[in-house]
Amino acid sequence: MIDFLTSRRNFLKNSSVSSLSLLWAPAVAKPMDENESFTEINSFLPPPLNTTLDLAPAKWIWYPMQRCLPNTVILFRKEITLTATPKSAKGYLIGDSRYLFFANGQRIQFGPAPADPRWAEADPIDLTNYLAAGPNVIGAQVLFYGHGEGTSPIGKPGFIFRLDIELVNGNTFQIISDGSWQTLVARSWRPRQYKRWYLRAFQEEFDARQYPHKWNTLEYVPFEEWTMAQEINNPANKPAINGNFNEYSMDVGGRVEVSQLRERSTPMLKETLISIQRLAESMTVRWIHSPYEYFEFGTPDSYEVNRIPCVVSSTAESWTLNVDKVRGAILTFEFKEQSVGFPYFTINAPSGTVVELMVQEAHLMGGEPLLNTKFNSWTRFICRTGTNRFETFDYESLRWLQLHIHGAEGQVTVSKVGMRRRQYPWPNPYQFQCNDAKIQKVLEACINTLHNSAQETIVDGMARERQQYSGDCGHQLHCTQNVFGDQLLHARFVNTYSQGQTLDGYFLDAWPAFDRLARIMERQVGLTQWGPLLDHSVGFNFDCWYYYLYTGDKTALTEVMPRLVKFFNYLLKIKIAGGLVPVENLGIPVVWIDHDAYKKQRHKQCAFNLYIAAMMQKAFAPLCEAFGMTDIANKAQAVGAEIQAVTVKTFWSPAKGMFINNLPWVAEEKEERLCDRSLATAILFDQCPQNITKFCAKALATVPATMGLSYPANANWRYWALAKAGTVQPIIDDFRTHWYGIESVAENNTIAEWWHVRHDNGQQWSHCAVAPLMVTYMNLAGIQPLTPGFKKAQIRPQLGDLEQLSLMNYTAQGPILFSATGQPGNRTVEITLPQGCEAELVVPANEDIKNLLAIGQPVNGLKKYRLVTGQTNKFF
């Protein structure tokens, strides 16, 4: 198993919270004194980790200029001579906003990972196998966004590089970025290019006729426009935001005493070349308005298409067609499944031939002719004479790739169309098998979705925002931990997300993210209904608690804890008279909790306050205990209990035995409204008075017409609650119907954002909604940690009518192997536990397992047995 930040594990002693339990275990709150003073957190926390990465004597450099226009690309070139073969050549680099690095003409890597500009992460680089004795050339192509976007909220231009070399003859030296590097403004990409979309900065337009081809090889001789780099006055242990370069468009600067340049905290992504599956369509288009006007402005009725195929000859991987200056040709290619990566193609064409490469997640054959239907997801390439190989600078999420070729006369041959797919290098392979073909298909679609949405961090969908969210998106972390055994993505998420905390104390619901900053300004002057989603801040406390519960590691939470306390204080400040937290008139933040589950905004108050009460008692309080902050933990327990009590008083219907979202206004609204979030939260966290849960569970199972359901990314709440109530068959039936019926499962091998999605539009066909995968592990196999680091676990198999399920659940102690075969009432179950993990088996009280030791007496219709650690436990 991966050990997060191994070199720092001894900084804090891991400690277990006494009497820790599952997320829905009951808590005992002490009465709160309203006049009780709040104890400062600094007296409890150890000092922050020194995570600074110092790349001295390297210098931050840039092209000499007084201002850097948006979407400017700068080339940096350095010739070096090695007296012997390198034994090791390793170092770090980072460029703001994105870089592509080369050595002797070979593409090495793309980076950096999205990060808060105050705590940017430099990427490791290993050139050992790319350098040779004698002369070599290294180089970087660095793009400065200048416009905020979904992966870079703000920044300043800058590039820094340090390489520590040891030769086989024993000599050692460094290659550093400084004023000796040659640099060039790459006008093959037009500086000041307009923004692609609200959350995408780079509308790429590349002119191969102006590109200094082979600039990153030895055979290239730099011409006079190449100049020596400008050194930026900025320490080598600080990010670019601290430099003295004047960022003229945003006028920003970093606080030197706060900012740090840090080492990348997750592995570099792996890149794999994949080819298209087929040419699906070809046709011609006659332009009524200029294609440039169409792509710039989206002018309607700009073209007419002729769907007669335009390809005159083809081979297995090449297609030849004739073009002229009146018509354009359209080639639409299909991949086997949706993936994230850098599309590429080769074209042999006359000089000046223009190609717009368009990508789309979902396309209907015979439908939209041009795939410019998703947030201007097009890239323009202009050919030089002869063979051109083009590849997008930035990555895309797609299953369909289209080339629109125009602007020249003559024959054109397109070949070698594909994608450089990028994926997270999971430390372990996923392993599961279900006898139900439909459910197996859904689970495999969840895996491919995770490949697309969990990369340098976790996002909802790479085709739209590409931003990391808590709340609904944070649920993916259960899968990265249990299915793949990865801790690093979770650790990076809790740190980088927490950095997006405002001065008021709430967290931006997505960070780093330009639009979350913009929404604050827009909200201040009433120009948007959107604001930071406050319920995501609540969910983030659970993300942090789960990290500790899965790993037992506190190191990654050291910087996070003060921020969680600040958020706790923010909730205390906004709590209104009567003890509830409002969902309306909150100022800047708003409450989301799935808009499709509610009729009115005030209907969210029940679910939101139950959620807050659970957070305080079951996530924030035990984390405070783990860090020795007992007074704060007690206060959180007390406040959580108070909010829960007031919510019960306001929204609990003794007559119906459940929470009614609009109980205070039901006479006015003339119908009762339920929602799955309120009922599920109440069951999971034991918030129903006198533990009356059967009516809530029945409603969740039968879904009455008056109950709103969460959208797919939050469907797991309902499933978690049903499993706790011992009712899993509705979950399994949902997997076979709702989930298997999502169009993206069959077409893209992904899970879409909504239960039904359409082709050729802006909907996300690969989203973070992987509830079936996490629920299969957590609730059908029933594997849950009881204490931090999986030192104790509970396993409660509930398989409904499934006849076979096997899987490997990775834990901090090693993998748990689970296998069940047979029909209900006649099953064989095998559970293999790793050494260091004690586990209890939970089964219905009417089951008698003779070869295991019973623990205590049955409680609430359930019986517990002791599983033997370090070996296979088999029972019937």
Side-chain angles (χ1 to χ4, degrees):
M1 297 296 296
I2 289 182
D3 188 12
F4 175 70
L5 296 177
T6 303
S7 63
R8 306 177 187 135
R9 281 302 291 261
N10 293 328
F11 183 83
L12 293 173
K13 293 181 180 179
N14 289 328
S15 63
S16 297
V17 178
S18 60
S19 302
L20 283 172
S21 57
L22 290 173
L23 67 133
W24 50 76
V28 178
K30 94 172 190 183
M32 184 184 70
D33 180 356
E34 291 294 338
N35 298 318
E36 181 181 357
S37 62
F38 183 73
T39 306
E40 288 296 329
I41 189 170
N42 291 336
S43 62
F44 292 96
L45 281 177
L49 294 174
N50 181 12
T51 54
T52 299
L53 176 67
D54 193 344
L55 297 186
K59 307 291 186 182
W60 281 95
I61 60 174
W62 198 248
Y63 185 86
M65 58 175 63
Q66 298 299 312
R67 67 174 184 173
C68 187
L69 301 177
N71 286 329
T72 292
V73 177
I74 303 295
L75 304 181
F76 296 94
R77 186 178 190 274
K78 179 72 173 179
E79 294 189 22
I80 58 176
T81 299
L82 304 182
T83 59
T85 302
K87 179 181 178 181
S88 175
K90 299 180 180 180
Y92 294 91
L93 79 160
I94 185 173
D96 194 331
S97 306
R98 297 292 177 264
Y99 73 83
L100 184 58
F101 196 86
F102 302 89
N104 292 320
Q106 294 189 65
R107 176 190 175 117
I108 305 299
Q109 64 191 42
F110 175 90
D116 188 302
R118 297 165 293 182
W119 296 284
E121 296 184 1
D123 293 332
I125 190 166
D126 187 348
L127 298 181
T128 306
N129 298 323
Y130 298 96
L131 302 179
N136 297 266
V137 172
I138 57 176
Q141 177 179 301
V142 183
L143 164 67
F144 177 63
Y145 285 141
H147 297 297
E149 72 130 54
T151 61
S152 180
I154 209 163
K156 281 188 175 185
F159 171 70
I160 191 168
F161 172 89
R162 191 187 76 192
L163 191 70
D164 300 308
I165 300 177
E166 180 184 359
L167 302 178
V168 293
N169 61 15
N171 292 340
T172 62
F173 60 99
Q174 291 180 325
I175 304 296
I176 62 170
S177 53
D178 58 18
S180 68
W181 283 55
Q182 297 170 303
T183 182
L184 178 74
V185 175
R187 293 193 172 275
S188 41
W189 293 274
R190 181 175 57 182
R192 74 188 177 279
Q193 177 75 335
Y194 46 83
K195 196 172 182 178
R196 181 193 220 181
W197 176 60
Y198 178 52
L199 290 177
R200 293 294 295 274
F202 192 41
Q203 184 80 74
E204 184 175 9
E205 183 173 324
F206 176 81
D207 190 339
R209 299 169 300 179
Q210 298 190 54
Y211 186 65
H213 295 272
K214 298 186 178 182
W215 67 273
N216 48 24
T217 69
L218 284 168
E219 60 183 285
Y220 181 79
V221 178
F223 53 91
E224 61 183 7
E225 289 190 20
W226 284 81
T227 187
M228 308 311 291
Q230 166 191 353
E231 293 185 3
I232 297 174
N233 183 16
N234 190 24
N237 63 354
K238 300 294 180 181
I241 197 73
N242 292 109
N244 68 335
F245 194 99
N246 176 33
E247 207 300 278
Y248 82 102
S249 63
M250 301 291 282
D251 193 23
V252 296
R255 291 173 55 196
V256 175
E257 69 276 14
V258 172
S259 303
Q260 291 179 343
L261 183 63
R262 296 181 170 180
E263 180 180 355
R264 185 182 177 108
S265 52
T266 56
M268 297 297 295
L269 300 187
K270 66 177 182 180
E271 296 182 345
T272 307
L273 301 183
I274 59 173
S275 297
I276 50 98
Q277 191 174 43
R278 62 171 181 143
L279 171 66
E281 291 178 310
S282 74
M283 62 192 81
T284 58
V285 55
R286 183 180 71 84
W287 287 94
I288 299 170
H289 297 286
S290 162
Y292 296 98
E293 179 179 313
Y294 166 78
F295 282 103
E296 288 171 347
F297 305 118
T299 305
D301 302 320
S302 289
Y303 59 85
E304 295 176 346
V305 298
N306 184 335
R307 293 188 181 271
I308 297 176
C310 63
V311 174
V312 296
S313 64
S314 64
T315 66
E317 61 171 20
S318 69
W319 301 267
T320 300
L321 54 148
N322 295 316
V323 297
D324 57 49
K325 293 190 176 181
V326 176
R327 296 170 300 170
I330 300 173
L331 304 178
T332 305
F333 299 94
E334 179 183 6
F335 286 91
K336 179 181 178 182
E337 63 183 7
Q338 185 170 346
S339 307
V340 171
F342 307 87
Y344 61 77
F345 66 99
T346 297
I347 183 169
N348 191 296
S351 178
T353 301
V354 179
V355 183
E356 277 93 20
L357 181 153
M358 288 164 275
V359 299
Q360 175 56 267
E361 294 181 76
H363 173 57
L364 191 63
M365 296 277 289
E368 290 288 337
L370 283 176
L371 299 191
N372 185 31
T373 53
K374 200 174 189 72
F375 310 112
N376 301 303
S377 296
W378 58 267
T379 299
R380 177 174 292 136
F381 298 102
I382 304 173
C383 299
R384 63 173 181 164
T385 300
T387 301
N388 300 259
R389 185 192 181 279
F390 294 124
E391 181 171 339
T392 63
F393 177 80
D394 211 345
Y395 54 89
E396 307 281 2
S397 184
L398 67 147
R399 181 165 174 256
W400 298 84
L401 184 157
Q402 186 178 82
L403 303 178
H404 167 236
I405 306 166
H406 63 101
E409 298 271 359
Q411 194 170 80
V412 168
T413 298
V414 174
S415 62
K416 299 176 182 177
V417 182
M419 179 199 309
R420 187 185 303 271
R421 185 173 192 181
R422 65 194 320 246
Q423 289 179 267
Y424 188 83
W426 304 108
N428 300 290
Y430 70 90
Q431 297 186 48
F432 57 75
Q433 184 64 46
C434 177
N435 72 297
D436 189 300
K438 290 183 177 180
I439 294 178
Q440 180 71 19
K441 174 63 177 173
V442 169
L443 297 180
E444 290 171 353
C446 289
I447 290 292
N448 191 48
T449 300
L450 277 172
H451 290 329
N452 295 338
S453 62
Q455 297 196 344
E456 290 151 326
T457 182
I458 60 162
V459 305
D460 61 346
M462 288 289 184
R464 196 172 64 199
E465 291 101 327
R466 308 194 302 177
Q467 301 170 168
Q468 66 175 11
Y469 290 87
S470 182
D472 38 18
C473 295
H475 302 315
Q476 297 172 89
L477 295 167
H478 294 291
C479 297
T480 65
Q481 291 270 7
N482 295 327
V483 181
F484 293 105
D486 182 78
Q487 296 179 13
L488 296 182
L489 268 176
H490 201 159
R492 184 175 199 270
F493 172 79
V494 296
N495 273 280
T496 55
Y497 184 93
S498 75
Q499 292 162 358
Q501 185 170 45
T502 62
L503 294 176
D504 286 335
Y506 60 85
F507 295 96
L508 299 175
D509 57 293
W511 188 255
F514 158 77
D515 71 309
R516 269 28 209 177
L517 295 177
R519 295 300 187 200
I520 293 176
M521 174 271 293
E522 294 165 358
R523 188 87 172 159
Q524 285 281 6
V525 291
L527 295 179
T528 181
Q529 64 175 345
W530 291 102
L533 307 180
L534 194 56
D535 45 304
H536 285 222
S537 295
V538 176
F540 179 59
N541 281 259
F542 284 104
D543 297 330
C544 296
W545 168 240
Y546 289 136
Y547 175 78
Y548 181 50
L549 197 57
Y550 281 129
T551 68
D553 171 55
K554 295 190 297 185
T555 305
L557 298 170
T558 303
E559 294 184 349
V560 180
M561 281 304 299
R563 296 164 181 158
L564 296 184
V565 173
K566 186 174 182 179
F567 174 66
F568 172 66
N569 283 328
Y570 170 79
L571 290 177
L572 298 184
K573 287 188 295 184
I574 67 171
K575 190 158 65 78
I576 57 179
L580 293 178
V581 178
V583 294
E584 298 175 293
N585 303 315
L586 281 165
I588 301 303
V590 298
V591 174
W592 167 253
I593 311 188
D594 295 12
H595 68 282
D596 61 325
Y598 299 86
K599 288 284 188 179
K600 298 179 180 179
Q601 181 70 13
R602 65 186 180 183
H603 291 180
K604 301 178 181 182
Q605 191 170 33
C606 177
F608 187 46
N609 279 271
L610 291 175
Y611 196 23
I612 291 172
M615 175 218 92
M616 290 181 176
Q617 297 175 86
K618 308 299 174 63
F620 178 64
L623 278 173
C624 290
E625 289 282 3
F627 278 84
M629 297 181 291
T630 304
D631 288 351
I632 303 174
N634 288 339
K635 184 164 186 177
Q637 292 281 11
V639 175
E642 176 197 346
I643 292 174
Q644 178 176 320
V646 177
T647 308
V648 169
K649 181 180 179 181
T650 307
F651 295 100
W652 176 261
S653 169
K656 298 296 178 67
M658 66 178 76
F659 287 95
I660 307 295
N661 283 17
N662 64 337
L663 189 60
W665 317 287
V666 71
E668 170 194 339
E669 296 179 3
K670 297 183 173 41
E671 69 168 353
E672 294 178 345
R673 294 295 304 176
L674 310 175
C675 77
D676 60 346
R677 284 295 295 273
S678 295
L679 304 185
T681 303
I683 291 175
L684 286 170
F685 301 107
D686 301 304
Q687 295 170 321
C688 296
Q690 292 82 49
N691 199 30
I692 300 172
T693 61
K694 61 180 181 179
F695 301 106
C696 294
K698 182 180 179 180
L700 289 173
T702 58
V703 190
T706 56
M707 186 170 77
L709 285 177
S710 298
Y711 81 136
N714 270 325
N716 49 283
W717 288 102
R718 173 173 169 251
Y719 299 151
W720 284 342
L722 285 171
K724 187 185 177 185
T727 307
V728 299
Q729 194 57 48
I731 303 173
I732 295 169
D733 292 341
D734 261 13
F735 289 177
R736 293 179 177 133
T737 55
H738 282 101
W739 293 90
Y740 185 73
I742 298 175
E743 293 83 352
S744 64
V745 172
E747 294 186 34
N748 287 24
N749 194 30
T750 53
I751 305 294
E753 184 175 15
W754 303 102
W755 294 113
H756 291 290
V757 282
R758 296 178 291 111
H759 301 79
D760 298 302
N761 66 10
Q763 290 183 311
Q764 293 197 94
W765 280 54
S766 183
H767 194 251
C768 64
V770 292
L773 185 60
M774 76 180 81
V775 169
T776 297
Y777 278 69
M778 299 171 69
N779 303 110
L780 301 188
I783 302 171
Q784 295 264 358
L786 287 173
T787 62
F790 252 106
K791 292 181 179 180
K792 292 184 180 180
Q794 173 182 285
I795 303 178
R796 184 187 175 187
Q798 297 186 83
L799 300 170
D801 63 2
L802 293 180
E803 295 183 9
Q804 185 270 329
L805 177 67
S806 61
L807 55 83
M808 181 176 289
N809 192 118
Y810 295 99
T811 79
Q813 305 304 320
I816 296 176
L817 279 68
F818 176 91
S819 176
T821 56
Q823 296 180 350
N826 186 26
R827 279 202 178 96
T828 299
V829 180
E830 294 186 15
I831 299 172
T832 303
L833 296 177
Q835 289 288 352
C837 177
E838 299 178 5
E840 59 187 36
L841 176 72
V842 178
V843 296
N846 59 2
E847 292 193 21
D848 188 17
I849 302 177
K850 300 187 182 303
N851 60 326
L852 293 179
L853 179 65
I855 306 172
Q857 297 298 316
V859 178
N860 295 327
L862 298 174
K863 187 188 299 184
K864 295 181 181 180
Y865 291 88
R866 178 75 61 204
L867 296 172
V868 182
T869 187
Q871 68 180 53
T872 299
N873 299 261
K874 186 175 182 179
F875 49 93
F876 305 92

